[in-house]
Amino acid sequence: MILVNEKIKAKEVALTGLNGEDLGIVTTSEALALAKPQKADLVCTSLLSSPPPCKLVAKGTARQEAEKEKKERRTSDDPVKTKEFRLSVHIEEHDYDAKLNQMRKLLESGKAVQPVVRIQGKEGEAARKLLERLAAYLSAYGRKETGFQISGKQATVKFLPV
């Protein structure tokens, strides 16, 4: 949260000018009086020190920078959602096509998909072939994040959107 102008409650602030020059420690009312003729906002950069460091910035830019920073933080924090699809080695062709279309649509909309093939007995090679077939089709819509992972009861691969 950014404190601007009258929202700064400290009695004194360490002030920095519009061009980065150090104006020393002044009262908040003096800093606001300096900001008005220059058509600038008084922005508090940190609340952790005493007196709090504040700077003069061009009117309106503080809010724009804060919104831009908030938006960047939100986009970088959100991991890509992954949808898991469960298949079996003996999947019918119609069911395979339906799952393939669902995966394609999700990749196009920016979500990751992870097909998981259940394995029973000696179906490991058949599961790998099924995943390779999926990967060949989905390569136009997404890229593999992981290689084919075949463990005891399942085989899987993860696709990220292009």
Side-chain angles (χ1 to χ4, degrees), residues 27-46:
T27 64
T28 306
S29 56
E30 284 179 43
L32 287 170
L34 282 171
K36 286 202 191 292
Q38 296 180 26
K39 294 187 177 157
D41 284 328
L42 179 66
V43 178
C44 184
T45 56
S46 173

Side-chain angles (χ1 to χ4, degrees), residues 1-4 43 60-74:
M1 187 176 119
I2 292 182
L3 294 180
V4 181
V43 178
T61 56
R63 181 169 285 120
Q64 289 173 349
E65 286 178 15
E67 288 174 9
K68 184 178 175 184
E69 223 175 80
K70 187 177 178 182
K71 185 177 179 182
E72 285 176 5
R73 208 175 317 120
R74 195 175 335 136

